Amino acid sequence: MADPTPRIWAADKKMRAFADPIGLFLTEAFHLLGLFAIGAATVWAAWAAFYAMIQKGSPSIEDLLLLFIYLEIGSMVGIYFRTKHMPVRFLLYVGITALTRHMIGFVQERSGADLGVLILAAATLILAFAVLVIRFTSNRFPSPAYGEAGRSGVSVD
């Protein structure tokens, strides 16, 4: 009786040769569609925020920080579109800006400093330290060129 294992391996290779290009195409199509959707939603949200500033008559510091958040998100989309790497640093920048925006609103609403301001400041400091660590490690231990380490799509720099 002959061993069926080589025939199974051959069938597996044939299925993979057929399915892998389809899976790659669908993955790339999803990435492009998602990037365009996120980019369009970011532009829409930024325009709505800008229009609200025009209606209000003047921008506040919170409004300007919100526009910076949209700018960082747009930059992340552009970088991912070109390089297929998501720079984690930009996510940290968005977090720092969002916490700063929240802290300014928190301070404007309340007259005195309290524990909430301290917590927001500490969280901002932790994110800033994380950026420092990422920048240091990416300069000291650079990642391999795209394609050498696989296609994870996440870049710490």
Side-chain angles (χ1 to χ4, degrees), residues 73-135:
I73 292 171
S75 296
M76 283 181 358
V77 169
I79 288 171
Y80 190 80
F81 187 76
R82 288 190 309 267
T83 65
K84 294 205 169 109
H85 286 192
M86 177 64 68
V88 173
R89 262 189 312 139
F90 281 64
L91 292 171
L92 294 174
Y93 294 151
V94 168
I96 290 169
T97 308
L99 285 172
T100 303
R101 181 176 183 265
H102 187 66
M103 187 170 20
I104 288 170
F106 192 80
V107 169
Q108 286 178 350
E109 288 177 8
R110 297 198 169 89
S111 60
D114 62 356
L115 187 61
V117 174
L118 186 62
I119 291 170
L120 289 170
T124 305
L125 184 63
I126 289 169
L127 289 178
F129 183 70
V131 170
L132 179 70
V133 168
I134 287 174
R135 295 286 307 257

